[in-house]
Amino acid sequence: MTINMLLIYVISVAMGITLFILAYKMWKNYPERYFTYLFYYVVLDIVGNFIARTISKIIPSLLDLTRWQAEKFYVFQGTFLLRPLAIIGFYFLIMLVKGMLEKKLSRPFTWFYFIFWGIHWGICFVFLILYIKTKQAFPLGITAYVTDLLYIFILLYSGVYLAYHAKDLKDVGKRQAARWFGILWFSGILIFNISGVIYPGRTMILVLGFANILPALLFLYLYLKKYYREHPAFPGDDEALRKVFSKYDISQREQEIIRLVSKGK
């Protein structure tokens, strides 16, 4: 391993740790449930990045695999580990976006999402078996290309959807947070994919893979600290309030008063 590669891995680890800390602090410090989804997504993203870019390079060299064996190892890893991680991670991302917009994900969408990806995974598995038997990578390459396009679409559309629908939020602070988070998310993902074309090497992609969502998370973390400092009585989302009202048997009129007082009235 060269000095440059070692430096890249060190920078990647530092950024991965930073992402984890930011997501963890938001998850622990703020009541909104969607920060749980953000934390889960970041964890899966970190695990996926290190598996895809690090283990796939280290293990073949440690085991002294041939080129054909290394290719099979990488394909198996992508099919049985990375793809399930990505599917679950993107579901958490969608839940995050819906939560920030104070909307709920419908059950039919959830069923459609997992059925669609289940069928897609089944097709990839069939092509994987054919690839192992015939060494013809063409069908498998097509599915990998389609998968990458779907991944990019979900990531980019999440940012656009969030930034556009932020206007529907009544709270000005939440509206600004959602809008700028969506814009920074979209910009980071877009730059990442453009950079992937310019710097196709897996090692450089490792750094970019962590850097693409770092600006959005850093903005959200700093914005929330400022927002909650200026709104110390802000009670969190309605779901958390409803649980408190139910637990202590708060009447409808008392609920109205609590909401007004929490807003500084």
Side-chain angles (χ1 to χ4, degrees), residues 3 25-26 33 48-49 55 61 64 66 72 74 79 113 115-116 119-120 134 137 139 145 161 194 219 233 236 246 248:
I3 298 297
K25 284 189 174 182
M26 286 187 279
R33 185 170 177 78
N49 262 299
I55 295 180
S61 60
D64 196 24
T66 65
K72 283 200 296 183
Y74 185 74
T79 303
Y113 180 86
I115 290 173
F116 171 82
I119 294 172
H120 180 80
T134 65
Y145 180 73
Y161 186 90
I194 294 174
F219 158 78
S246 175
Y248 295 102

Side-chain angles (χ1 to χ4, degrees), residues 163-251:
Y164 177 76
H165 288 282
K167 60 182 174 57
D168 299 329
L169 293 171
K170 295 179 180 179
D171 186 274
V172 176
K174 287 186 175 182
R175 190 188 312 149
Q176 292 178 348
R179 178 180 294 122
W180 282 105
F181 181 80
I183 291 172
L184 289 171
W185 182 274
F186 173 83
S187 303
I189 298 299
L190 184 63
I191 293 172
F192 166 69
N193 285 281
I194 294 174
S195 302
V197 176
I198 300 174
Y199 302 104
R202 290 180 186 174
T203 307
M204 191 62 191
I205 290 296
L206 179 62
V207 175
L208 298 171
F210 289 113
N212 62 347
I213 64 173
L214 186 56
L217 257 68
L218 186 59
F219 158 78
L220 189 60
Y221 174 75
L222 295 175
Y223 185 89
L224 287 170
K225 285 189 68 174
K226 178 177 179 294
Y227 181 79
Y228 277 88
R229 189 167 57 247
E230 295 175 352
H231 302 76
F234 187 72
D237 59 357
D238 285 341
E239 184 179 351
L241 273 178
R242 284 194 294 270
K243 289 180 180 179
V244 173
F245 293 156
S246 175
K247 181 178 179 180
Y248 295 102
D249 195 25
I250 306 297
S251 70

Side-chain angles (χ1 to χ4, degrees), residues 20-210:
F20 178 85
I21 292 173
L22 290 175
Y24 179 79
K25 284 189 174 182
M26 286 187 279
W27 175 39
K28 285 298 181 181
N29 293 340
Y30 305 114
E32 285 83 352
R33 185 170 177 78
Y34 53 78
F35 289 120
T36 303
Y37 304 133
L38 174 62
F39 177 71
Y40 291 162
Y41 173 81
V42 169
V43 170
L44 291 175
D45 185 61
I46 291 171
V47 172
N49 262 299
F50 272 118
I51 290 175
R53 314 302 177 189
T54 306
I55 295 180
S56 61
K57 292 178 70 68
I58 292 175
I59 289 184
S61 60
L62 289 177
L63 299 179
D64 196 24
L65 301 180
T66 65
R67 182 176 178 180
W68 168 238
Q69 290 172 330
E71 287 179 359
K72 283 200 296 183
F73 171 80
Y74 185 74
V75 171
F76 263 99
Q77 176 188 258
T79 303
F80 292 103
L81 188 56
L82 292 179
R83 193 156 288 148
L85 282 176
I87 292 169
I88 297 171
F90 288 148
Y91 183 73
F92 286 134
L93 174 61
I94 294 170
M95 293 284 283
L96 163 66
V97 171
K98 284 290 187 177
M100 290 189 77
L101 295 174
E102 299 179 351
K103 297 179 180 180
K104 290 186 177 180
L105 203 61
S106 66
R107 185 170 295 180
F109 176 85
T110 300
W111 279 101
F112 169 79
Y113 180 86
F114 285 105
I115 290 173
F116 171 82
W117 282 112
I119 294 172
H120 180 80
W121 185 89
I123 294 171
C124 293
F125 177 74
V126 171
F127 286 150
L128 172 63
I129 299 301
L130 293 174
Y131 171 64
I132 294 172
K133 289 184 176 181
T134 65
K135 294 188 179 183
Q136 296 296 320
F138 176 73
L140 193 63
I142 291 295
T143 57
Y145 180 73
V146 172
T147 302
D148 287 343
L149 289 179
L150 289 171
Y151 288 172
I152 294 169
F153 173 78
I154 293 173
L155 289 167
L156 290 175
Y157 185 71
S158 296
V160 172
Y161 186 90
L162 187 57
Y164 177 76
H165 288 282
K167 60 182 174 57
D168 299 329
L169 293 171
K170 295 179 180 179
D171 186 274
V172 176
K174 287 186 175 182
R175 190 188 312 149
Q176 292 178 348
R179 178 180 294 122
W180 282 105
F181 181 80
I183 291 172
L184 289 171
W185 182 274
F186 173 83
S187 303
I189 298 299
L190 184 63
I191 293 172
F192 166 69
N193 285 281
I194 294 174
S195 302
V197 176
I198 300 174
Y199 302 104
R202 290 180 186 174
T203 307
M204 191 62 191
I205 290 296
L206 179 62
V207 175
L208 298 171
F210 289 113

